[in-house]
Amino acid sequence: MFENYNKVQRAVLETTLNIIIRKELQATSMALIAKESGVSTGNIYHYFKSKEDIVNELYKAIVTFNGEYVRGGLLNGTTIREKFELGWNRVIELGKQYPQGFQFIEQYSFSPYIYEEVKQEVYTGGWCGPMNELYQEAVQEKLFIPMNPKMMVQMHYGTFVYMLKAHIHGIFELSSESVNDAIRSCWNAVTHRDVS
């Protein structure tokens, strides 16, 4: 997830993510990040101006990684339906494979700790932009009901978020069959009745 960063930056970002998931953001101090990462406070300040800068860089890194991963699924499909299924499968795989990144994004996407310009930059640069375009195309092709594509994407994402949370907390196992059933259900919820 942090392959594009140098060794020090990666240690700081990985440690910060781990601490935030364990202790919450307010309990995450620069001293604790330094202690647990093994990186001196001075060296941390060489790369990051403040704890807020670390948190914002962490947010960007995770959303960028997620975006590249999901876009890979979208690019592998040939039809709108295939892209839809592959894209949402990738979103769910991310949550299962990288639960800390998923939990961080869910908890802090609308947080005042994340700078507005960062939120806007990653929203369009992550997977939401390409998924919105796919839904827009489906609306234009009259596959989907005439509804705001962004709203539909967020509606479906909300479904998968709660499924992933239940999976992470051990309420139920997300098998490939249950994932495919949920994706099919989301597809059916927004398609015109005369479209199979």
Side-chain angles (χ1 to χ4, degrees), residues 162-182:
Y162 277 91
M163 287 173 59
L164 282 163
K165 285 181 177 180
H167 172 80
I168 289 167
H169 292 289
I171 296 169
F172 57 74
E173 179 67 28
L174 273 180
S175 66
S176 58
E177 184 181 340
S178 62
V179 167
N180 289 336
D181 287 345

Side-chain angles (χ1 to χ4, degrees), residues 29-161:
S29 66
M30 290 294 263
L32 185 59
I33 294 168
K35 179 182 174 187
E36 291 198 15
S37 68
V39 177
S40 71
T41 306
N43 210 1
I44 292 174
Y45 279 114
H46 176 74
Y47 292 102
F48 305 99
K49 294 178 192 170
S50 63
K51 179 176 92 170
E52 288 76 19
D53 277 355
I54 296 172
V55 170
N56 276 271
E57 194 59 40
L58 181 60
Y59 183 79
K60 276 199 281 191
I62 294 170
V63 173
T64 300
F65 177 82
N66 291 355
E68 290 168 359
Y69 191 82
V70 174
R71 279 196 308 273
L74 292 171
L75 293 172
N76 286 333
T78 52
T79 66
I80 291 174
R81 176 105 189 222
E82 283 177 353
K83 291 176 184 180
F84 179 93
E85 291 173 354
L86 289 166
W88 285 121
N89 255 300
R90 288 283 184 111
V91 169
I92 293 166
E93 283 173 24
L94 272 168
K96 289 173 73 175
Q97 289 181 29
Y98 302 95
Q100 285 189 328
F102 166 76
Q103 289 171 298
F104 176 81
I105 294 300
E106 272 317 293
Q107 192 162 0
Y108 295 103
S109 283
F110 297 101
S111 167
Y113 279 93
I114 308 299
Y115 308 138
E116 278 307 312
E117 61 271 16
V118 171
K119 289 178 188 175
Q120 291 306 313
E121 175 189 339
V122 299
Y123 182 81
T124 55
W127 61 263
C128 286
M131 194 69 88
N132 291 342
E133 290 171 13
L134 178 68
Y135 276 58
Q136 179 65 47
E137 184 183 351
V139 169
Q140 289 170 344
E141 296 285 327
K142 300 195 184 324
L143 288 172
F144 286 180
I145 57 175
M147 188 175 169
N148 183 324
K150 288 182 183 177
M151 191 163 63
M152 282 191 279
V153 169
Q154 294 305 311
M155 207 170 65
H156 288 163
Y157 182 58
T159 299
F160 300 123
V161 163

